[in-house]
Amino acid sequence: MIKTDVVIVGAGPVGLFAVHQLGIKGLKSEVIDNLDKAGGQCIELYPDKPIYDIAGIPECTGEELTQNLLEQIKPFNTNFHFNERVQEIKSENNTWIVKTSKDKVFSSPNIIIAGGVGSFEPRKLSVKNAEKYEGKNIFYSVSNKEKFKDKKISIFGGGDSALDWTLELSKISNVTLIHRRDKFRGAPHTLNEIKKLEKDGKVSIKTQYQLSSIEGDNSIKSINIKDDKGKEIAIETDYILSFFGLIMKLGPITDWGLNMDNKTIKVNTENFETNKKGIFAIGDICTYPGKLKLILSGFHEGALASVECFKRARPNEKYRFEFTTSSKDIQARLGVKTK
Amino acid sequence: MPKITYIEQSGNKKTIEVDKGLTVMEGAVQNNIPGIDADCGGGMACATCHVYVKEEWFNKLPKVEDGEQDMIDMAFEPKKNSRLSCQILVTEELDGLIVTTPLKQT
């Protein structure tokens, strides 16, 4: 069991800045996120898109913002628990017990939910028997490419993942790349290389087609793809790789007895606490009158939540508001060398 | 105020007045129209406000930009007349617009 002052659910920009606000008050936090890295929507949905409304930063990309936030919280040596989702929580003597999908257990007086719109999951194929073959013949990511050696692979998608894996797997297997229009959004140089391979007969590209059905019994034998006019062709297939990006799912949070409003959690704006003592919600996932889904609002919400977290984690200490410019305590926590 | 009609796959139909300057997505979300999730809140980053626009209206809309087309690639069952409703700005000219929501968004 990991004991800490605050468990933060979500390593997006708002979760990261909450680490900072807690850290300068001397509180330790542990951060859990279902993705394999920090940044949340910033890193997953728009890493290269410029953001123009972070106070004091005229322009930065989602990736730059994430890097800067990570830099800013470096002094606090925070533990991140990636590829894990919070599965259940329960209350024990004024303390929250948090259990993750990898059976890690945390004990903490405070939980800050900075979960955005939910945890990211791959967008799945929608044809009816796709679920039956998932993990067996259908994959949404590649963990071991040796599995595909000398096999017939049908890859769906038009982005970098689809293009990169087409190129990579074409070296060891028989690849068909299928995309719903003739324009690809992946890197042009990758596409050019694939087109060269197509000329040499090493890769097959089918554009303006979408998956219509899967044929097979215990394993997939072939797939049918269809164009806009309804013309259908069959492709012998051993494995399907599908790269249609990620979707966001709220997951078990909805079962925690929190006051929900649609897919958001109601909080009071004094300390961003939910209807459960010691559980806070900040960023896109919280709602209150006038709420704006902006990163900058999430920063403010985290700052206020951190004060209440302090009171709960240090019931015998008096909370004192301090400025980073003048507080020796804060500067020590930040590792600032004072003269 | 322009009237927009949202039709579900089940055939359920709802016509509402949407303020000019809002998007078709915002009109739906503010009026609790089912079938439009809009997870990213209008950032053209998630493709969960996907709609099909009736043919006669599709061509009257400003052209689909590359960024939107890229996101539609990932939507549930995209078609030729697919749009992201967060990218359709309601104007006086769109009075009477009809959109159909897909079977699901994810």
Side-chain angles (χ1 to χ4, degrees):
Chain A
M1 174 133 46
I2 302 169
K3 275 191 123 173
T4 185
D5 294 318
V6 185
V7 170
I8 298 176
V9 184
V14 171
L16 295 180
F17 193 65
V19 170
H20 180 272
Q21 288 299 299
L22 296 160
I24 60 173
K25 295 175 181 67
L27 299 185
K28 270 301 267 181
S29 45
E30 302 275 332
V31 184
I32 304 166
D33 197 296
N34 204 29
L35 283 176
D36 60 357
K37 54 188 171 304
Q41 291 182 51
C42 276
I43 216 74
E44 212 45 61
L45 296 184
Y46 47 88
D48 312 319
K49 278 191 197 169
I51 309 169
Y52 300 102
D53 60 354
I54 306 296
I57 304 175
E59 179 185 339
C60 71
T61 64
E63 175 150 30
E64 286 163 353
L65 180 66
T66 304
Q67 287 313 321
N68 281 336
L69 283 162
L70 286 171
E71 183 67 32
Q72 199 168 14
I73 62 172
K74 230 182 195 167
F76 308 118
N77 292 317
T78 308
N79 292 321
F80 286 89
H81 307 269
F82 291 122
N83 298 307
E84 283 183 64
R85 188 168 82 169
V86 175
Q87 218 54 26
E88 51 180 80
I89 58 164
K90 60 178 185 215
S91 169
E92 251 172 38
N93 321 316
N94 226 10
T95 298
W96 290 104
I97 307 295
V98 176
K99 209 171 147 189
T100 73
S101 50
K102 288 194 180 158
D103 290 330
K104 229 177 256 171
V105 181
F106 299 83
S107 158
S108 172
N110 300 298
I111 301 172
I112 293 182
I113 305 172
V117 190
S119 54
F120 285 94
E121 293 172 17
R123 193 184 294 262
K124 307 239 167 119
L125 288 167
S126 55
V127 298
K128 61 175 189 297
N129 50 354
E131 213 183 321
K132 176 176 150 189
Y133 298 115
E134 189 181 326
K136 208 172 148 209
N137 302 112
I138 298 179
F139 295 93
Y140 298 100
S141 62
V142 177
S143 51
N144 172 20
K145 66 179 183 186
E146 284 308 308
K147 184 198 292 285
F148 305 113
K149 195 161 187 268
D150 299 324
K151 302 285 184 190
K152 298 182 207 72
I153 320 292
S154 289
I155 297 181
F156 286 87
D160 283 321
S161 302
L163 295 186
D164 289 349
W165 282 114
T166 298
L167 197 58
E168 185 62 29
L169 292 178
S170 67
K171 295 171 193 159
I172 57 165
S173 46
N174 181 350
V175 179
T176 306
L177 173 64
I178 303 139
H179 182 41
R180 77 160 189 114
R181 55 191 175 116
D182 43 22
K183 228 168 148 186
F184 287 82
R185 70 180 180 284
H189 68 266
T190 318
L191 184 62
N192 287 340
E193 285 194 47
I194 293 173
K195 287 203 165 143
K196 257 187 244 158
L197 289 173
E198 189 196 22
K199 259 191 203 143
D200 301 339
K202 289 187 176 133
V203 166
S204 165
I205 305 177
K206 301 276 179 210
T207 54
Q208 291 178 303
Y209 278 98
Q210 295 186 61
L211 180 65
S212 58
S213 60
I214 301 171
E215 310 284 341
D217 36 51
N218 284 327
S219 55
I220 293 178
K221 293 209 159 68
S222 69
I223 59 168
N224 294 310
I225 58 173
K226 201 153 82 175
D227 70 5
D228 278 337
K229 293 175 194 79
K231 192 183 121 194
E232 209 169 51
I233 52 175
I235 300 172
E236 276 184 52
T237 298
D238 300 313
Y239 292 105
I240 296 176
L241 290 173
S242 170
F243 300 107
F244 290 119
L246 299 170
I247 55 163
M248 296 172 275
K249 278 222 170 108
L250 215 40
I253 286 176
T254 48
D255 306 327
W256 296 353
L258 302 172
N259 256 341
M260 305 286 296
D261 177 6
N262 201 2
K263 290 181 190 169
T264 53
I265 303 168
K266 288 187 187 172
V267 291
N268 75 58
T269 50
E270 198 184 322
N271 52 23
F272 295 87
E273 200 164 28
T274 65
N275 58 316
K276 302 256 181 205
K277 285 262 163 251
I279 300 187
F280 304 81
I282 60 174
D284 284 0
I285 204 162
C286 77
T287 189
Y288 51 86
K291 165 71 184 170
L292 292 178
K293 286 193 178 185
L294 291 175
I295 293 170
L296 65 96
S297 308
F299 290 165
H300 160 80
E301 292 154 7
L304 266 64
S306 71
V307 175
E308 188 67 24
C309 288
F310 179 91
K311 293 175 185 167
R312 288 180 55 84
R314 306 274 186 272
N316 302 321
E317 290 175 39
K318 179 111 183 74
Y319 169 71
R320 253 180 349 113
F321 172 78
E322 292 180 293
F323 290 110
T324 58
T325 44
S326 54
S327 163
K328 293 281 174 290
D329 285 342
I330 292 180
Q331 288 168 2
R333 287 170 192 139
L334 287 169
V336 178
K337 288 191 181 72
T338 44
K339 286 173 219 155
Chain B
M1 244 190 272
K3 286 194 174 72
I4 311 285
T5 300
Y6 301 81
I7 307 176
E8 288 174 68
Q9 290 293 317
S10 63
N12 274 351
K13 204 188 271 191
K14 227 173 177 179
T15 301
I16 52 166
E17 291 189 334
V18 180
D19 274 320
K20 278 184 289 181
L22 291 182
T23 63
V24 172
M25 177 277 279
E26 288 167 318
V29 170
Q30 291 176 8
N31 290 284
N32 299 314
I33 301 282
I36 292 183
D37 293 349
D39 281 346
C40 79
M44 210 165 75
C46 74
T48 63
C49 65
H50 172 212
V51 295
Y52 306 117
V53 179
K54 271 228 152 187
E55 296 298 336
E56 65 258 39
W57 283 101
F58 188 80
N59 301 323
K60 288 184 197 164
L61 300 176
K63 256 195 128 197
V64 188
E65 282 179 36
D66 280 352
E68 181 181 349
Q69 200 61 265
D70 288 347
M71 286 316 300
I72 292 173
D73 279 348
M74 300 187 220
F76 174 81
E77 294 190 351
K79 296 181 189 164
K80 273 242 157 78
N81 61 337
S82 286
R83 288 296 307 257
L84 297 185
S85 56
C86 71
Q87 300 303 309
I88 309 175
L89 200 65
V90 175
T91 58
E92 210 57 76
E93 290 72 44
L94 292 192
D95 184 28
L97 175 73
I98 301 167
V99 299
T100 306
T101 51
L103 196 58
K104 51 183 190 170
Q105 287 291 357
T106 56

